[in-house]
Amino acid sequence: MQCSGQCLVCDNGELTGGSVVLTSHDFGATLPRQPHDRQEKSEHATWDTLIEPDVAGFSLSLRRPTGTVGPPKSDTAVALLPTLENNGHSHRSLQSKRMTRLSPITSGSLGAESRNEGMTAWPHKHLLGLQGLSAEDLRVILQTVRSFADVSTRSVKKVPALRGKVVANLFFEDSTRTRLSFTLAAQRLSADVIDLTASASSVNKGETIADTALNVLAMGVDVFCVRHKASGAAALIARAVGDRCAVINAGDGKHEHPTQGLLDIYTLAESHDRLETFDLNGLRVAIVGDVVSSRVARSNIAGLRALGAEVVCVGPPTLVPRSLQSLGCVVDHDFDRVIPTVHAVNMLRVQFERHGGGAEGGKEGNAQPGIARASPAFPSVREYVQGYALTEERAARLRAGAIVMHPGPMNRGVEIAGNVADGPKSVILRQVANGLAVRMAALYLCVGAGATGEY
């Protein structure tokens, strides 16, 4: 076989010197290049490096010439691959695997030894909500998010933490960001993923969601990511499967959406330089819009309050009733009064589909996507926009350093102006990016929790 000039060792027959500097977090050393076995125009030959995941850590795959393989280090396993003949040059491929064991939370391969040192282990087999989690629990998962945050910036966007595990997405309600985020998070952790939607499940034939989950569990699933329009659906599945399988709530009715709450908290801490401690004391966050229908709002209130932030819910009385104060937040119906006082404003979509009779023609299915609809909660969409939309004028009154958030999907021109959503204060796309790391952390910790882990 003739050398094509793209040889992994030679560069068109010429050799170059220097060294290879690995960018993987596991390998900080600079590796010297080795001499070529046929030509020695330079003291060193070129190495081609490839970082790839392995079951026990990260693997380093190196190609180098015959005759340069020295004795392996004590922590390195070596396997020689078949010899290739290229233009008379005899090349041998060396695959060198340096193994770094992944341990819960403090994995060195995730680059988090120092920031997670001394932290307690994650005890929960299921993540059903943020209500009831302690500040320490929240900090454990948020610090783990930091460990995974840079994975998506690497040349190989994958770690082997869940290799051999199976993640099942049980989505009985429409979703774009959350479903794709859970799928990609599982793939980044090297897990196998299966997807089940309501339209393709036996639930349409009368099977209960608990029976559906048990049947899927019997196939060898390690974690369920559950979304359902009914509050408590994830908890029902968690009771059915017990400690045989982890369950993560991906949003259930008006109850909670814990991973969305976590990514909102992480984005807030990131924007205000609180990533070291996740101590949110002194920060004030406004949650504006259809709070009464929002599972995201409930998770945000629980998590933010546990970490010390003050939360004020803003909207018309029909969407932000005084009873929400029982969750530990402040209720205010004057958006213009609140705007200058907050460090972040989280705009919520008006969930017309949950208002009953709000869709055109009185049925949800008759509404046209993207068209604002009437709601019995307020006289008209235009009046709602006048009182509670984040317009450019209102955004200009935010304090210096304040950020604009939105859990999505957005109704531009209703709860938020397009220019504000795309403006310099917006961290909406940053929320989406952080959501991937949050779901990686949730999957990793819940799957790794012991059989006696708490719910």
Side-chain angles (χ1 to χ4, degrees):
M1 182 166 54
Q2 296 298 313
C3 181
S4 64
Q6 302 298 321
C7 178
L8 292 174
V9 178
C10 303
D11 183 10
N12 292 325
E14 299 293 326
L15 301 177
T16 58
S19 61
V20 175
V21 180
L22 301 178
T23 58
S24 169
H25 288 211
D26 289 337
F27 306 93
T30 298
L31 302 180
R33 300 183 187 273
Q34 298 295 323
H36 196 278
D37 61 329
R38 187 171 182 268
Q39 292 176 304
E40 300 218 358
K41 294 185 180 180
S42 173
E43 181 181 358
H44 301 94
T46 303
W47 288 15
D48 175 77
T49 62
L50 170 66
I51 305 299
E52 60 181 12
D54 190 89
V55 66
F58 290 107
S59 297
L60 171 63
S61 178
L62 303 176
R63 289 182 178 271
R64 61 182 181 180
T66 304
T68 65
V69 179
K73 296 181 180 180
S74 59
D75 62 345
T76 304
V78 176
L80 294 178
L81 301 181
T83 299
L84 301 177
E85 294 293 332
N86 286 330
N87 197 26
H89 305 315
S90 177
H91 301 175
R92 189 177 299 272
S93 175
L94 168 73
Q95 188 177 47
S96 173
K97 298 184 178 180
R98 180 173 179 175
M99 306 302 187
T100 304
R101 180 176 295 276
L102 286 170
S103 59
I105 303 174
T106 58
S107 168
S109 61
L110 300 179
E113 300 96 331
S114 60
R115 72 174 69 115
N116 291 323
E117 185 175 354
M119 293 179 63
T120 59
W122 174 258
H124 306 285
K125 189 67 175 177
H126 308 306
L127 179 60
L128 305 179
L130 301 189
Q131 185 70 39
L133 292 185
S134 67
E136 183 61 25
D137 286 337
L138 293 170
R139 289 190 174 101
V140 167
I141 193 168
L142 289 168
Q143 291 290 1
T144 308
V145 174
R146 292 189 70 193
S147 302
F148 285 112
D150 66 339
V151 171
S152 295
T153 67
R154 300 177 182 177
S155 57
V156 176
K157 300 175 176 61
K158 186 169 286 191
V159 293
L162 295 186
R163 176 173 287 186
K165 302 296 183 180
V166 180
V167 176
N169 290 328
L170 304 185
F171 275 62
F172 300 100
E173 191 178 40
D174 292 342
S175 172
T176 300
R177 283 159 300 280
T178 303
R179 182 171 59 84
L180 292 178
S181 185
F182 268 112
T183 297
L184 189 54
Q187 292 172 342
R188 292 277 166 89
L189 295 171
S190 302
D192 297 319
V193 184
I194 57 176
D195 287 292
L196 181 66
T197 61
S199 60
S201 74
S202 294
V203 171
N204 290 331
K205 301 177 181 179
E207 185 176 69
T208 67
I209 59 171
D211 283 335
T212 297
L214 290 172
N215 276 276
V216 177
L217 177 63
M219 301 177 192
V221 170
D222 299 284
V223 56
F224 286 118
C225 304
V226 181
R227 167 166 284 197
H228 202 282
K229 63 182 179 181
S231 298
L236 189 153
I237 290 177
R239 287 195 296 270
V241 302
D243 60 8
R244 293 172 291 173
C245 178
V247 176
I248 298 176
N249 182 6
D252 60 332
K254 298 179 181 180
H255 174 227
E256 278 213 47
H257 193 346
T259 57
Q260 180 68 47
L262 288 167
L263 72 89
D264 289 345
I265 293 169
Y266 187 90
T267 304
L268 176 68
E270 180 183 57
S271 300
H272 290 281
D273 299 322
R274 306 291 182 99
L275 288 181
E276 289 297 326
T277 63
F278 289 99
D279 182 355
L280 303 184
N281 279 289
L283 296 183
R284 193 170 198 241
V285 180
I287 301 176
V288 184
D290 191 359
V291 179
V292 73
S293 302
S294 177
R295 54 195 174 209
V296 173
R298 285 166 174 77
S299 290
N300 267 269
I301 292 169
L304 289 169
R305 293 288 297 128
L307 294 174
E310 180 185 2
V311 181
V312 53
C313 294
V314 183
T318 49
L319 299 182
V320 185
R322 290 288 175 185
S323 59
L324 289 173
Q325 292 175 337
S326 63
L327 299 178
C329 62
V330 176
V331 170
D332 200 316
H333 303 305
D334 190 339
F335 191 19
D336 291 308
R337 179 172 57 199
V338 170
I339 284 176
T341 70
V342 298
H343 300 86
V345 56
N346 199 346
M347 304 302 300
L348 302 179
R349 177 179 69 89
V350 177
Q351 300 187 43
F352 295 98
E353 69 276 11
R354 297 190 192 275
H355 290 181
E360 293 177 354
K363 296 181 180 179
E364 291 185 20
N366 292 339
Q368 299 180 40
I371 298 179
R373 293 163 286 179
S375 168
F378 43 81
S380 68
V381 171
R382 182 166 63 178
E383 184 169 328
Y384 178 85
V385 170
Q386 290 175 346
Y388 300 103
L390 186 59
T391 60
E392 292 185 75
E393 293 75 18
R394 287 192 171 111
R397 297 178 54 227
L398 287 167
R399 66 195 302 166
I403 59 174
V404 174
M405 308 170 73
H406 197 301
M410 287 187 292
N411 284 332
R412 290 174 181 257
V414 181
E415 72 272 7
I416 188 169
N419 289 339
V420 176
D422 301 327
K425 296 181 180 180
S426 173
V427 293
I428 295 173
L429 293 181
R430 188 62 196 161
Q431 289 174 265
V432 177
N434 288 336
L436 183 59
V438 164
R439 281 147 190 148
M440 290 175 69
L443 289 167
Y444 175 63
L445 291 175
C446 289
V447 171
T452 58
E454 304 171 13
Y455 281 16

